[in-house]
Amino acid sequence: MAFVITDPCIGTKDAACVDVCPVDCIHPRKDEPEFEQTSILYIHPDECIDCGACVPACPVAAIYDSPESTPDSQKSLVDANATYRAGDAGAVAQAEAIVKAHVAAHPDLMAVAPAERAAAHAK
Ligand code: SF4
Ligand code: SF4
């Protein structure tokens, strides 16, 4: 089990979650070189301790508390979170490719403002 960042982070990406995570498992941080390259932030599933601190910190409700609770429309982003590795250019590119495919597959969600997008996630 691990928490999962989903598409309301696209267009928001304010790193508020990074500031509250006690184990530094959300990347890229603003001080990491990949920050400018990524569409969203990613939670490392093996490092997340399921504390829940990031959820209320997120201004757009982008974070779900497990892969199982992540809505069907967001399932590919479970893989994106699991794929991303800070400092690994190949893994960064692979995770971003998953996010870009998600964006291409969901013009309906992308048409919704980030703050309203979580409400539009179909279960
Ligand atoms: S649930 Fe806790 S450990 Fe996991 S990403 Fe959120 S703040 Fe970090
Ligand atoms: S707090 Fe939410 S919107 Fe901000 S970077 Fe984290 S997941 Fe993305």
Side-chain angles (χ1 to χ4, degrees), residues 63-120:
I63 306 174
Y64 290 89
D65 67 4
S66 70
E68 292 74 21
S69 68
T70 301
D72 286 347
S73 70
Q74 306 295 301
K75 290 289 192 200
S76 69
L77 299 180
V78 174
D79 295 334
N81 280 256
T83 298
Y84 185 90
R85 291 291 178 273
D88 180 337
V92 172
Q94 209 176 337
E96 280 293 300
I98 295 171
V99 175
K100 285 181 173 54
H102 171 83
V103 167
H106 294 284
D108 51 334
L109 290 172
M110 292 306 111
V112 177
E116 311 301 325
R117 209 171 283 149

Side-chain angles (χ1 to χ4, degrees), residues 4-6 8-18 26 28 35 39-43 54-55 57-63:
V4 177
I5 294 178
T6 63
C9 188
I10 300 170
T12 309
K13 216 182 91 172
D14 62 351
C17 52
V18 171
I26 307 174
F35 186 79
S39 309
I40 65 171
L41 268 55
Y42 302 90
I43 294 173
C54 53
V55 172
C58 180
V60 291
I63 306 174

